[in-house]
Amino acid sequence: NAGVTQTPKFQVLKTGQSMTLQCAQDMNHEYMSWYRQDPGMGLRLIHYSVGAGITDQGEVPNGYNVSRSTTEDFPLRLLSAAPSQTSVYFCASSSGRAGPDTQYFGPGTRLTVL
Amino acid sequence: GESVGLHLPTLSVQEGDNSIINCAYSNSASDYFIWYKQESGKGPQFIIDIRSNMDKRQGQRVTVLLNKTVKHLSLQIAATQPGDSAVYFCAGWPCHDYKLSFGAGTTVTVRA
C-alpha cells in the first residue's frame, strides 16, 4: 500500500511549456484533490474530484486542467506554464465522497517556471 | 466557503513544555476540522481531527479543542519534543462543501 504517489518530484519548465503532474492512490479513495503551496502560505485548492468522471474547481483553478478517468489517477495539466505557477504542488485523497473525511497527502512536486 | 487563520505565524517552545497552537475559522456551518503537521520538504501529515458535534478530542500527546461559540480551535502538544518542530496547519471543511480550506500555518521550533 503506497498511499498517494506523485511524479515527478522536481520539474523545471520554460514559460509557455505544458506538462502533466501525475498523482495516483491505491487506497480506493473516491475523493482526490490538488493543492498548491507558496512560500509562507497555506495550501490552496486548485481542483478536486469526488469520483471517476467528476471534477470541479477549487479556489485557484485558472491555468490548470484535470480529468478523472479512473478512481486511482488524478493528473493535473498545466496548459501554458507561467512564472506565477512556480510552486509546490500536492495531491491528496480521502475516502469520503458523501462528506468530509481525513485527506492523505502525497510528497509533492516542486515546480519552477522560468 | 470557509476561511481559517492561525493566530501566530511562529512559536518557540522549550523541549518538554506543552505547546498550544491556535486557529480561528469564519464559517459557523463548518462540520469538520483537521490539524496537519508538515516537515520540511514533505507533504502535510494528518495529526488529529474533530467534528463539530465534539468539544475535545485526544490523541497520542495531542489534544484538539473546539469552541464553536467563538469559532476557535486549538492544538495542544504535551511534552514537546525536537521531532515536533514543523509547520502546523489547521483546515476546515464546511458542511455540504467538498473544499477543504487551510490556514497559513504556524512554525513551531523546539529549543533544546
Side-chain angles (χ1 to χ4, degrees):
Chain A
N1 191 330
V4 179
T5 58
Q6 292 183 239
T7 56
K9 292 191 187 316
F10 300 94
Q11 182 70 49
V12 179
L13 293 177
K14 294 181 180 178
T15 296
Q17 287 185 315
S18 63
M19 80 158 295
T20 299
L21 307 185
Q22 301 292 343
C23 174
Q25 52 90 10
D26 60 1
M27 298 174 281
N28 202 33
H29 284 171
E30 293 283 358
Y31 184 97
M32 296 186 73
S33 55
W34 276 102
Y35 294 85
R36 61 176 289 173
Q37 184 176 32
D38 299 305
M41 298 180 68
L43 284 76
R44 292 184 291 169
L45 182 65
I46 304 172
H47 285 286
Y48 67 96
S49 168
V50 298
I54 307 169
T55 63
D56 206 345
Q57 296 181 349
E59 181 185 354
V60 288
N62 292 340
Y64 308 94
N65 273 0
V66 292
S67 60
R68 186 93 180 271
S69 56
T70 67
T71 299
E72 295 78 20
D73 301 296
F74 190 44
L76 178 73
R77 281 183 289 277
L78 278 71
L79 308 172
S80 177
S84 61
Q85 292 179 305
T86 294
S87 189
V88 182
Y89 291 85
F90 291 100
C91 178
S93 74
S94 69
S95 60
R97 180 176 183 173
D101 205 340
T102 304
Q103 286 201 69
Y104 297 93
F105 284 81
T109 294
R110 188 175 296 273
L111 175 67
T112 301
V113 182
L114 303 175
Chain B
E2 173 61 274
S3 174
V4 291
L6 282 153
H7 293 180
L8 291 174
T10 62
L11 176 67
S12 179
V13 61
Q14 186 70 37
E15 182 179 356
D17 288 350
N18 296 336
S19 304
I20 299 176
I21 307 167
N22 295 303
C23 184
Y25 63 95
S26 64
N27 190 340
S28 58
S30 290
D31 182 66
Y32 181 57
F33 300 92
I34 311 172
W35 281 99
Y36 285 96
K37 173 186 180 183
Q38 186 177 28
E39 296 174 308
S40 180
K42 296 183 178 180
Q45 177 185 1
F46 170 83
I47 301 173
I48 192 168
D49 59 359
I50 188 167
R51 297 194 184 267
S52 60
N53 60 354
M54 304 172 69
D55 297 323
K56 178 180 179 179
R57 192 168 189 210
Q58 288 184 291
Q60 188 175 8
R61 284 201 306 117
V62 294
T63 300
V64 56
L65 300 177
L66 177 61
N67 185 330
K68 294 180 284 294
T69 301
V70 296
K71 292 186 281 188
H72 177 273
L73 67 159
S74 66
L75 177 71
Q76 301 178 3
I77 305 173
T80 310
Q81 303 170 356
D84 295 327
S85 292
V87 180
Y88 291 81
F89 294 96
C90 64
W93 205 321
C95 299
H96 311 298
D97 188 343
Y98 293 101
K99 302 174 185 177
L100 190 64
S101 296
F102 281 79
T106 291
T107 300
V108 173
T109 302
V110 180
R111 305 188 306 272

